[in-house]
Amino acid sequence: MAQIVVDVTRCVGAAQCVLSAPDLFDQDDDGFVMLLEERPSGELEKSAGVAATLCPSQAITVQET
């Protein structure tokens, strides 16, 4: 199982996370990342990894627990 960690202070609002994993991420009213599920499993875990890779500001980290 993985744990997603988001550093909102690094987020630039590019929304790549939302586009690649809408079940895990959203954007607040200011356009910054909001984490919807901290501990995904299965296909959502894979989507979290893709989102972390696509994030231009490297604001998303996926840690194995």
Side-chain angles (χ1 to χ4, degrees), residues 4-52:
I4 303 171
V5 178
V6 174
D7 183 350
V8 179
T9 63
R10 294 183 71 157
C11 180
V12 295
Q16 295 303 303
C17 57
V18 178
L19 293 172
S20 63
D23 292 332
L24 296 175
F25 302 98
D26 200 353
Q27 288 180 291
D28 65 15
D29 291 339
D30 295 320
F32 297 113
V33 64
M34 290 178 10
L35 182 58
L36 302 177
E37 186 173 341
E38 186 176 313
R39 295 183 182 271
S41 60
E43 288 300 313
L44 288 180
E45 186 174 347
K46 291 178 187 176
S47 295
V50 170

